[in-house]
């Protein structure tokens, strides 16, 4: 058995290395069509074309040399344009037109990715099938070979050695993986051209699903889905004695595979649409470019628009009232799905201190307010032009919350701060459902009389950093806005003290009982 | 008033916490074991790597200062009861009232070699450290004594793939407490985990190597077993050595009356170390478990701060976990069935789950529940036991007691069927199992049935109305998008109300 695991690990590492190495295996020769369609403005392209002589017909064996020349070319074009705008068109910064005429850096960077993707050729492209399938198979099969032998352990909670292992407790391996994931997110959000070769690599998969070119978001969705599926299998094996965990994990795997990955990538009308992604997690839902796109779609688009609004305003609160926010956070959501599967080995890293709870409450509600204010501004700016600064507000939100918080910190920091950093400290949708869960929802975690032995397993393995034991040892039901209902506290409790339940007839008294107080109440007075 | 508490275990700490809740007295808690209160029951998980010491502390370190509970890390050598003074290693502390919560220590029965290196019990935090120390080059461990701590120790070593031989004096594991079927189940389970279980086997001698570390043990059957570690887990006894030769009345433990008072005024004893002079009916004089320590701590705080309160532990309950099998007991389930009890026992065909209910032969009232691998609700069982409920009444509503996670298979039906077979009855299990049904059963509902019924009707009407409205709206107005949105919202709300109404109907029918 150990042998199989080692072979699996080796295969996985080789597959991963192949994948990483493939980043440097292309030659580049400037693709003018891609450049033209990327720049998408004749006025700009004319200048760029003039400057493109330095790159035309040249084959670069090094990605860096290619990007160096690209940057040079574009910056030449940029200055030429600037010059033209100032001297020939005679525009100044005070003119509105000035800003739409010049070539902006963001544009240059955006086109950089497209050009890099389309200019790649040579070895990797010729051997694309081999690289793709070999690395994919090695990674998946290797991982499964590593995972499957734990079927040999008798079913039951097996957290043996978690705090002895550096991977699980912020040791060297854990930190390395954290850095790797963080770098991945930084590249994905801000330097996607560096991973253009990966996008080239997954093109065949994109083509199998739908016509068109893959972009970095397709790549990301693909990796994301694979991660959830493979690690979901690991999770299901680990908790195979626990039906709640099996059903729940199957659900997150299903929603990720079908709703977040397959449907939007196979049905043209659903392209870029994730039917289960609700505002305010999907913070750009009310941005005019998205609303316009939906309205242009015709009836189906309108339907999607109405669905989005009904989802956020009615469906989310009603289901949360019935089942607590777990229905979304640990059954449906993609971020939650990744946290529950890929992130499961790191759940014990969440901070349980009172201080962390305080920070959590400030931060997550701040993000909620931020998202609401931003959206109100955006919606108002549909009707008036006086709110130009709302573009800055949404840019800040996108940068700080959407990218840095949700991506880099939220996932990159799994091994350091636990698997729910984003869900706990940042997600505005979680905050919104949390308020409902706290104030009026049938959901609670019931504590079984006085059976708690204060061992601490529940708190340790609560990914949301809830000090479950604090409540359990008082015999008090747990009603906390942050609880995502993963049910792990109930699974790891060695005394069967906790049960996730929904009930209505005591809804306002859910968290009041202190069942371990056994001296007659009349003379005690609870504190 | 200065209240000194010796011992920072569950009983001492519970007393301190409740004294603080009720009063402003000065509180000092003295312990030589650790700076802060930790959960002794979690010791195994530290060794197994499920948690670190830090995670086993139920309160954060700032808790104590904030609640003005002074922690003293020191050892109490002797007590001057007349002068009300404690003699510590390097200081003296005087007190007005003293609570002794000094816990237990592992039993050692004078085996030859019991003090060798690598031979120890498992009780204190330091025991885990020494276990860790001896585990380094450990090829085989022998555990002596088939109780709860022994099986935990076996699990600890096996989690690190260290082979274990488990010597149990009895014919079957823990059969002094568990009825024979449950005990046999655990025998099987121990072996499934590849521990070498040797029943009816006692330790005779422990042999040293040339460095004074254990090299092997010899059993009463003359077998010699190579090992580098011996765990002595044949029970515990009150830790009262340092109190001998004082005027404090001692037997096996510190003798206390029903108010937990010792023979000396202003001195109380609670937890593992306390021995009840007149235990309640059906209870043992020393009950060395977590829960009783907690209840005693609460009671004594009440007695000191409010009014004299009798220690009343209520109906017996306990729980444990044998490797992967959880165990819960409520009420009276002796290992040997008494003459006047009848037993109803069901076991899962896979042999890893069981339900046992004991009831009175003549009166048919339930007296105890034993659960293996299935969780039952403490309060529901307690209420049935307290009310001396008829076994058939209990059986018909047994689903109320089930506490397993959602989606788990339930086995109450099988148990009822078994009862029907054995007694020629035709009881039917009611479907009362929802959280709401439990709340009603326990009288914890804040809504009455009439409330629910009313709400059900209201929601139904309103729901239908909203849905109708949403269909009419588009005909009344021409602006497309806004009306679509409003209609969508109304339909959503309407459906939501219908669902609500439907669920209220479910609740009502689940209460029947
Ligand atoms: C491994 C293990 C697992 C267990 N599992 C369970 C379980 O699952 N369920 C259950 O119900 N029970 C369990 N128990 C039993 C339970 O832990 C005890 O009943 C409980 O801890 C007793 O608490 P206490 O406060 O009475 O004493 P203790 O927790 O023993 O506290 C006494 C403290 O007093 C200190 N002390 C003693 N004398 C002095 C002195 N002279 N000077 C200074 N300090 C002193 C000791 O160092 C100790 O820290 C378990 C016990 C062990 C060892
Ligand atoms: S309290 Fe329990 S169910 Fe809720 S998030 Fe924490 S571990 Fe999951
Ligand atoms: S609820 Fe369970 S896991 Fe949590 S402290 Fe109590 S006994 Fe331990």
């Amino acid at each position: 058995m150990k042998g199989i695991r080692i072979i699996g690990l080796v295969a996985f590492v080789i597959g991963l290395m192949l994948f990483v190495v493939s980043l440097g295996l292309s030659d580049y020769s400037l693709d003018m069509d891609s450049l033209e369609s990327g720049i998408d403005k004749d006025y700009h392209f004319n200048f760029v074309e003039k400057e493109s002589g330095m790159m035309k017909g040249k084959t670069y064996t090094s990605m860096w040399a290619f990007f160096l020349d690209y940057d040079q070319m574009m910056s030449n074009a940029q200055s030429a344009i600037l010059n033209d705008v100032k001297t020939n068109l005679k525009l100044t910064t005070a003119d509105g037109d000035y800003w739409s005429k010049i070539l902006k850096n963001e544009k240059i960077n955006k086109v950089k990715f497209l050009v890099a993707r389309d200019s790649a050729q040579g070895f990797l492209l010729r051997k694309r099938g081999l690289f793709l399938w070999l690395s994919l198979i090695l990674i998946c099969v290797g991982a499964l070979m590593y995972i499957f032998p734990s079927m040999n352990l008798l079913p039951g909670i097996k957290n043996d050695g978690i705090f002895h292992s550096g991977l699980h407790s912020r040791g060297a391996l854990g930190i390395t993986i954290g850095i790797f994931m963080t770098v991945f997110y930084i590249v994905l959000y801000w330097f996607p051209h560096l991973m253009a070769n990966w996008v080239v690599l997954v093109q065949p998969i994109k083509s199998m699903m739908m016509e068109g070119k893959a972009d970095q978001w397709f790549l990301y969705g693909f990796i994301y889905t694979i991660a959830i599926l493979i690690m979901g299998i690991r999770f299901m094996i680990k908790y195979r004695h626990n039906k709640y965990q099996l059903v729940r994990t199957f659900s997150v795997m299903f929603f990720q595979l079908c709703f977040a990955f397959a449907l939007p990538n196979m049905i043209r009308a659903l392209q870029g649409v994730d039917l289960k992604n609700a505002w305010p997690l999907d913070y750009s839902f009310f941005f005019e470019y998205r609303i316009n796109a939906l309205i242009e779609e015709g009836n189906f688009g309108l339907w999607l628009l109405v669905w989005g609004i009904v989802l956020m305003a009615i469906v989310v609160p009603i289901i949360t009232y019935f089942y607590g926010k777990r229905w979304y956070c640990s059954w449906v959501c993609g971020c939650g799905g990744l946290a529950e599967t890929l992130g499961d080995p790191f759940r014990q890293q969440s901070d349980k201190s009172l201080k962390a709870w305080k920070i959590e409450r400030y931060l997550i509600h701040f993000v909620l307010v931020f998202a609401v204010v931003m959206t109100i501004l955006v919606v108002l700016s549909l009707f008036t032009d006086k709110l130009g600064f709302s573009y800055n507000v949404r840019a800040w939100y996108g940068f700080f919350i959407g990218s840095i918080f949700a991506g880099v910190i939220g996932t990159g920091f799994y091994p350091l701060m636990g698997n729910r950093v984003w869900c706990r400290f940042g997600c505005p949708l979680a905050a919104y459902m949390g308020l409902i869960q706290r104030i009026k929802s049938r959901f609670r975690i019931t504590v079984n009389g006085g059976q708690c032995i204060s061992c601490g397993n529940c708190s340790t393995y609560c990914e949301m950093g809830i000090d479950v034991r604090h409540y359990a040892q008082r015999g008090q039901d747990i009603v906390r806005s942050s609880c995502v209902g993963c049910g792990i506290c109930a699974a790891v409790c060695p005394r069967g003290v906790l049960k996730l339940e929904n009930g209505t007839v005591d809804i306002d008294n859910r968290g009041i009982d202190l069942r371990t107080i056994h001296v007659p109440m009349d003379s005690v007075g609870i504190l | 008033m200065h209240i000194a508490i010796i011992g920072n275990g569950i009983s001492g700490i519970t007393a301190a916490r409740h004294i603080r809740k009720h009063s402003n007295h000065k509180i000092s808690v003295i312990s030589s074991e650790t700076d802060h209160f930790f959960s002794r029951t979690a010791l195994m998980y530290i060794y197994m790597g499920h948690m670190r010491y830090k995670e086993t502390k139920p309160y954060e370190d700032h808790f104590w200062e904030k609640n003005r509970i002074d922690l003293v890390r020191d050892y109490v050598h002797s007590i001057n009861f007349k002068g009300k003074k404690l003699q510590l290693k390097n200081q003296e502390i005087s007190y007005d009232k003293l609570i002794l919560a000094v816990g237990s220590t592992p039993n050692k029965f004078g085996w030859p070699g019991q003090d060798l290196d690598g031979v120890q019990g498992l009780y204190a935090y330091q025991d885990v450290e020494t276990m860790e120390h001896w585990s380094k080059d450990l090829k085989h461990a022998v555990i002596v004594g088939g109780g709860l701590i022994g099986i935990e120790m076996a699990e600890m070593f096996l989690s690190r793939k260290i082979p274990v031989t488990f010597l149990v004096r009895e014919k079957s594991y823990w059969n002094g407490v568990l009825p024979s079927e449950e005990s046999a189940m655990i025998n099987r389970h121990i072996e499934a985990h590849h521990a070498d279980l040797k029943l009816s086997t006692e330790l005779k001698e422990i042999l040293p190597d040339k460095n004074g570390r254990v090299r092997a043990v010899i059993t009463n059957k003359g077998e010699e077993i190579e090992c580098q570690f011996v765990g002595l887990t044949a029970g515990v006894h009150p830790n009262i050595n340092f109190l001998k030769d004082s005027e404090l009345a001692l037997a096996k433990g510190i003798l206390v009356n029903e108010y937990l008072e010792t023979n000396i005024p202003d001195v109380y004893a609670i937890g593992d170390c306390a021995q009840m002079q007149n235990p309640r009916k059906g209870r043992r004089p020393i009950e060395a478990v977590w829960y009783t320590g907690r209840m005693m701590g609460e009671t004594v705080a009440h007695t000191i701060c409010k009014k004299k309160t009798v220690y009343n532990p209520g109906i017996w309950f306990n729980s444990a976990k044998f490797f992967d099998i959880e165990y819960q007991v409520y009420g009276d389930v002796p290992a040997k069935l008494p003459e006047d009890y009848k037993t109803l026992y069901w076991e899962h065909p896979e042999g890893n789950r069981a339900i046992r209910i004991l009831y009175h032969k003549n009166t048919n009232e339930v007296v105890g529940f034993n659960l293996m691998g299935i969780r039952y609700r403490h309060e529901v069982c307690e209420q049935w036991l307290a009310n001396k409920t008829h076994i058939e009444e209990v059986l018909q509503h047994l689903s109320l007691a089930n506490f397993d996670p959602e989606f788990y298979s339930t086995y109450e039906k099988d148990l009822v069927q078994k009862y029907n077979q054995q007694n020629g009855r035709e009881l039917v299990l009611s479907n009362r199992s929802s959280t709401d049904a439990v709340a009603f059963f326990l009288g914890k509902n804040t809504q009455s049935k009439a409330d629910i019924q009313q709400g059900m009707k209201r929601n139904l009407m309103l729901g239908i109305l909203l849905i109708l409205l949403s269909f009419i709206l588009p005909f009344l107005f021409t602006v497309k998008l806004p009306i679509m949105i409003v209609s969508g919202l109304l339909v959503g709300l309407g459906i939501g109300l219908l669902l609500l109404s439907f669920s209220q109907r479910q609740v009502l029918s689940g209460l029947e």
Side-chain angles (χ1 to χ4, degrees):
Chain A
M1 275 313 120
K2 215 169 170 189
I4 295 184
R5 294 192 77 166
I6 291 173
I7 296 172
L9 197 60
V10 171
F12 177 82
V13 171
I14 293 177
L16 199 64
M17 269 163 37
L18 268 184
F19 195 60
V20 172
V21 163
S22 73
L23 281 180
L25 290 183
S26 280
D27 299 335
Y28 299 86
S29 133
L30 186 65
D31 183 296
M32 286 310 279
D33 294 341
S34 169
L35 195 59
E36 186 172 1
S37 69
I39 287 177
D40 193 29
K41 215 173 202 182
D42 288 343
Y43 174 68
H44 287 163
F45 185 66
N46 283 336
F47 288 90
V48 175
E49 198 173 16
K50 266 183 223 142
E51 301 292 339
S52 67
M54 59 184 283
M55 291 185 81
K56 241 188 211 156
K58 227 166 145 185
T59 304
Y60 296 80
T61 47
S62 143
M63 175 164 83
W64 304 108
F66 179 74
F67 288 139
L68 217 59
D69 274 9
Y70 173 87
D71 289 342
Q72 186 62 51
M73 170 181 84
M74 288 310 237
S75 108
N76 289 349
Q78 193 178 32
S79 347
I81 292 171
L82 190 64
N83 200 23
D84 190 62
V85 168
K86 280 190 183 153
T87 53
N88 296 340
L89 303 179
K90 300 218 178 331
L91 294 171
T92 66
T93 48
D95 299 306
D97 250 6
Y98 174 90
W99 296 106
S100 62
K101 281 284 183 216
I102 60 166
L103 180 56
K104 295 205 189 81
N105 284 334
E106 294 99 83
K107 187 63 164 275
I108 295 179
N109 282 327
K110 210 175 130 203
V111 176
K112 196 170 178 180
F113 164 75
L114 298 172
V115 169
R117 177 188 68 188
D118 298 336
S119 303
Q121 42 167 263
F123 184 70
L124 185 66
L125 212 55
R126 281 199 306 277
K127 302 270 183 237
R128 176 156 73 183
L130 181 75
F131 264 89
L132 171 63
W133 296 114
L134 195 63
S135 58
L136 199 61
I137 289 173
L138 281 175
I139 287 177
C140 295
V141 173
L144 290 175
M145 278 169 76
Y146 184 76
I147 290 165
F148 259 101
S150 46
M151 280 296 269
N152 272 346
L153 293 174
L154 291 177
I157 293 302
K158 299 285 160 0
N159 284 325
D160 301 341
I162 293 234
F163 279 99
H164 302 149
S165 131
L167 172 62
H168 302 296
S169 56
R170 284 179 218 159
L173 190 55
I175 291 177
T176 312
I177 292 183
I179 292 176
F180 184 80
M181 302 214 302
T182 308
V183 170
F184 174 84
Y185 274 93
I186 292 177
V187 171
L188 175 72
Y189 285 124
W190 295 291
F191 310 99
H193 53 276
L194 296 179
M195 50 167 73
N197 269 345
W198 281 349
V199 177
V200 172
L201 206 58
V202 297
Q203 181 63 45
I205 292 178
K206 170 82 182 179
S207 306
M208 275 159 38
M209 302 178 76
M210 189 165 45
E211 258 173 52
K213 287 212 152 161
D215 58 8
Q216 73 266 42
W217 302 115
F218 177 83
L219 168 78
Y220 179 48
F222 180 66
I223 297 179
Y224 201 98
T225 308
I226 298 256
I228 288 190
L229 293 182
I230 300 259
M231 290 301 277
I233 294 177
R234 171 192 166 277
F235 189 92
M236 286 170 108
I237 291 178
K238 178 166 183 191
Y239 295 99
R240 66 188 183 283
H241 57 288
N242 188 316
K243 259 191 209 156
Y244 179 75
Q245 300 303 339
L246 293 182
V247 177
R248 182 173 72 80
T249 308
F250 178 80
S251 168
V252 284
M253 288 161 75
F254 169 81
F255 276 102
Q256 175 62 30
L257 183 63
C258 297
F259 280 73
F261 187 65
L263 288 182
N265 281 310
M266 288 169 83
I267 298 174
R268 188 151 295 278
L270 285 177
Q271 213 170 347
V273 182
D274 182 349
L275 282 176
K276 64 182 174 52
N277 200 1
W279 180 89
L281 174 56
D282 181 12
Y283 61 89
S284 61
F285 184 81
F286 291 101
F287 287 6
E288 74 267 23
Y289 74 89
R290 286 191 55 187
I291 302 228
N292 288 339
L294 289 177
I295 292 178
E296 274 164 31
E297 270 285 328
N299 277 338
F300 185 65
L302 288 184
W303 187 85
L304 284 179
L305 183 62
V306 173
W307 164 249
I309 294 173
V310 175
L311 175 66
M312 139 233 148
I314 308 280
V315 178
V316 165
I318 285 191
I319 311 189
T320 307
Y321 164 77
F322 276 112
Y323 300 109
K325 75 193 218 192
R326 56 179 168 154
W327 78 272
Y328 196 81
C329 296
S330 64
W331 284 70
V332 170
C333 178
C335 302
L338 194 71
E340 292 294 342
T341 52
L342 182 70
D344 176 65
F346 308 110
R347 56 171 58 250
Q348 64 285 348
Q349 296 303 343
S350 59
D351 190 337
K352 315 302 184 309
S353 66
L354 207 60
K355 206 162 120 214
W357 185 18
K358 260 191 202 141
I359 296 175
E360 168 194 318
R361 280 179 298 179
Y362 278 115
L363 208 53
I364 194 167
H365 294 119
F366 165 76
V367 174
L368 177 62
V369 171
F370 191 175
V372 170
V373 169
M374 174 190 68
T375 305
I376 293 177
L377 285 177
V378 165
V379 171
L380 287 182
S381 69
L382 293 177
F383 304 102
T384 153
D385 326 324
K386 289 217 182 91
L387 293 168
F389 69 96
S390 77
Y391 284 92
N392 292 336
V393 176
R394 69 173 86 169
W396 294 333
Y397 189 93
F399 180 76
F400 289 108
I401 312 291
S403 308
I404 295 200
F405 206 159
V408 178
I409 298 179
T411 310
F413 284 21
Y414 271 9
L416 310 176
M417 295 172 70
N419 53 338
R420 286 274 191 181
V421 181
W422 162 248
C423 313
R424 176 181 180 195
F425 294 101
C427 177
L429 180 57
Y432 167 37
M433 290 189 293
L435 289 173
I436 300 169
Q437 172 158 297
R438 178 78 189 73
I439 295 162
K440 206 128 192 129
S441 157
R442 298 180 172 191
F443 174 70
R444 83 292 304 275
I445 303 178
T446 303
V447 167
N448 200 13
Q451 288 278 23
C452 176
I453 53 170
S454 305
C455 68
N457 274 297
C458 50
S459 299
T460 306
Y461 289 94
C462 174
E463 52 192 356
M464 295 305 280
I466 299 174
D467 189 0
V468 184
R469 164 174 58 193
H470 168 79
Y471 303 89
Q473 66 193 358
R474 297 148 58 104
Q476 184 181 22
D477 290 355
I478 295 126
V479 177
R480 276 278 292 265
S481 54
S482 61
C483 172
V484 291
C486 65
I488 293 296
C489 53
V492 297
C493 173
R495 294 294 177 272
V497 175
L498 305 164
K499 176 172 162 114
L500 280 59
E501 292 192 304
N502 312 302
T504 140
V505 298
D506 56 349
I507 200 161
D508 296 321
N509 276 355
R510 285 172 298 164
I512 290 185
D513 248 4
L514 299 183
R515 301 196 188 94
T516 48
I517 301 279
H518 87 290
V519 169
M521 277 299 189
D522 49 2
S523 51
V524 178
I526 330 161
L527 282 158
Chain B
M1 186 160 68
H2 179 205
I3 298 168
I5 303 174
I6 310 181
N8 67 350
I10 179 66
S11 46
I13 289 299
T14 309
R17 277 181 44 241
H18 281 268
I19 292 171
R20 179 49 74 239
K21 278 183 184 178
H22 297 318
S23 76
N24 267 320
H25 300 317
K26 178 174 160 58
I27 306 171
S28 309
V29 180
I30 306 150
S31 168
S32 55
E33 187 180 7
T34 50
D35 287 334
H36 299 102
F37 169 48
F38 73 101
S39 178
R40 193 171 302 293
T41 50
L43 280 178
M44 65 183 295
Y45 300 111
I46 298 178
Y47 180 89
M48 288 163 62
H50 292 206
M51 287 184 273
R52 293 164 296 189
Y53 167 65
K54 180 169 168 272
E55 276 79 22
T56 67
K57 289 189 281 190
Y59 302 93
E60 285 185 66
D61 292 350
H62 57 69
F63 177 88
W64 309 106
E65 203 187 315
K66 201 176 133 218
N67 288 289
R68 290 169 292 119
I69 296 174
D70 298 338
L71 303 178
V72 182
R73 174 95 185 255
D74 206 336
Y75 184 76
V76 179
H77 280 285
S78 58
I79 304 171
N80 173 356
F81 288 107
K82 290 226 173 63
K84 293 196 166 182
K85 280 200 178 82
L86 306 177
Q87 185 57 51
L88 313 185
K89 244 193 200 124
N90 4 330
Q91 56 180 319
E92 237 182 33
I93 292 184
S94 34
Y95 62 84
D96 298 305
K97 285 185 190 277
L98 176 66
I99 302 176
L100 297 167
V102 293
S104 312
T105 67
N107 288 336
K108 285 183 173 183
F109 292 116
W111 292 293
Q114 67 181 16
D115 295 319
L116 289 173
D117 281 351
V119 181
Q120 63 165 93
L122 171 61
Y123 190 84
Y125 177 69
Q126 286 71 21
D127 294 335
V128 174
E129 291 182 317
T130 49
M131 266 181 85
E132 187 71 52
H133 174 74
W134 296 122
S135 294
K136 263 175 217 121
D137 47 0
L138 186 55
K139 300 212 176 48
H140 197 101
V142 169
I143 295 166
V144 182
L148 292 174
I149 297 179
I151 199 168
E152 285 188 1
M153 209 185 229
E155 188 175 351
M156 289 157 82
F157 284 125
L158 289 172
S159 78
R160 297 200 185 176
K161 310 228 159 32
I162 298 170
V164 167
T165 300
F166 194 9
L167 304 185
V168 173
R169 190 183 57 186
E170 293 78 21
K171 277 209 292 283
S172 178
Y173 173 77
W174 214 36
N175 69 357
V177 179
L178 291 178
S180 57
E181 287 90 347
E182 283 91 328
S183 169
M185 173 185 294
I186 303 305
N187 291 342
R188 293 195 300 271
H189 193 60
I190 293 172
E191 283 174 345
H193 275 275
H194 306 295
D196 176 20
L197 176 64
K198 289 193 188 301
L199 297 170
S200 312
T201 308
E202 285 177 53
L203 174 67
K204 212 173 120 210
E205 194 181 345
I206 307 172
L207 304 176
D209 67 6
K210 57 181 182 299
N211 301 322
R213 178 165 179 189
V214 47
R215 163 176 74 75
V217 296
I218 297 182
T219 70
N220 61 344
K221 297 180 174 166
E223 189 182 358
E224 186 175 317
I225 303 167
E226 295 266 316
C227 62
Q228 301 79 41
F229 182 94
V230 176
L232 300 177
T233 60
V236 297
H237 62 270
N239 169 31
I240 50 171
N241 250 344
F242 75 106
L243 297 167
K244 288 196 173 138
D245 313 318
S246 69
E247 54 268 52
L248 194 66
L250 304 172
K252 270 190 95 173
I254 304 168
L255 287 171
V256 293
N257 62 12
E258 69 269 39
Y259 298 107
L260 304 170
E261 297 165 326
T262 65
N263 64 320
I264 300 172
D266 293 334
V267 179
Y268 306 82
I270 57 176
D272 278 20
C273 65
Q275 177 174 355
M276 305 294 295
Q277 262 159 340
N278 305 302
R280 290 170 170 255
K281 185 176 164 289
R283 308 287 299 222
R284 284 165 290 134
I286 302 177
E287 291 177 331
V289 292
W290 188 260
Y291 316 107
T292 50
R294 195 172 60 198
M295 292 191 260
M296 287 186 185
E298 193 191 325
T299 310
V300 83
H302 214 64
T303 295
I304 290 174
C305 303
K306 294 244 158 151
K307 62 174 186 216
K308 240 172 133 170
T309 308
V310 173
Y311 169 60
N312 174 8
I315 287 166
W316 169 253
F317 66 96
N318 198 8
S319 60
K321 193 174 181 188
F322 310 104
F323 289 97
D324 302 314
I325 299 184
E326 288 172 19
Y327 154 72
Q328 296 182 331
V329 55
Y330 300 106
D332 187 20
V333 184
K336 283 214 171 50
L337 193 68
E339 274 290 290
D340 48 349
Y341 283 4
K342 275 170 112 177
T343 181
L344 174 64
Y345 179 77
W346 167 88
E347 188 174 305
H348 192 277
E350 283 172 19
N352 53 3
R353 285 191 178 85
I355 308 172
R356 181 188 295 280
I357 305 183
L358 292 193
Y359 56 102
H360 221 276
K361 223 177 210 163
N362 306 322
T363 59
N364 282 311
E365 68 203 39
V366 288
V367 293
F369 297 81
N370 226 22
L371 291 312
M372 309 294 290
I374 292 174
R375 301 171 173 180
Y376 265 21
R377 273 180 215 270
H378 189 169
E379 291 162 289
V380 171
C381 294
E382 196 172 44
Q383 185 153 324
W384 279 329
L385 293 167
N387 293 345
K388 301 186 186 301
T389 315
H390 194 286
I391 174 74
E392 300 198 344
E393 163 86 12
V394 168
L395 283 174
Q396 289 173 61
H397 300 292
L398 200 56
S399 305
L400 284 176
N402 190 295
F403 198 69
D404 272 339
E406 291 152 297
F407 302 116
Y408 271 41
S409 315
T410 55
Y411 304 101
E412 281 70 42
K413 238 194 179 128
D414 305 68
L415 190 73
V416 172
Q417 206 181 355
K418 186 120 192 196
Y419 179 85
N420 285 343
Q421 267 168 18
Q422 285 176 358
N423 299 279
R425 300 280 293 155
E426 279 174 17
L427 299 183
V428 181
L429 188 70
S430 89
N431 60 0
R432 283 171 65 189
S433 64
S434 66
T435 313
D436 291 321
V438 173
F440 264 95
F441 176 78
L442 296 172
K444 295 198 167 161
N445 53 314
T446 51
Q447 294 170 17
S448 68
K449 281 186 197 177
D451 293 343
I452 305 173
Q453 204 138 31
Q454 224 173 4
M456 179 180 90
K457 281 188 198 140
R458 197 189 49 220
N459 291 332
L460 183 70
M461 303 288 285
L462 214 58
I464 293 175
L465 207 72
L466 288 184
I467 291 175
L468 283 179
L469 193 63
S470 72
F471 278 106
I472 298 169
L473 271 186
F475 295 103
L476 299 182
F477 298 92
T478 44
V479 272
K480 198 170 168 196
L481 187 60
I483 290 303
M484 259 179 89
I485 293 176
V486 173
S487 287
L489 292 175
L490 289 181
V491 174
L493 208 56
I495 296 180
L497 287 171
L498 291 189
L499 287 177
L500 203 62
S501 166
F502 181 70
S503 84
Q504 281 163 325
R505 228 188 69 176
Q506 292 284 92
V507 170
L508 284 175
S509 73
L511 297 179
E512 297 308 315

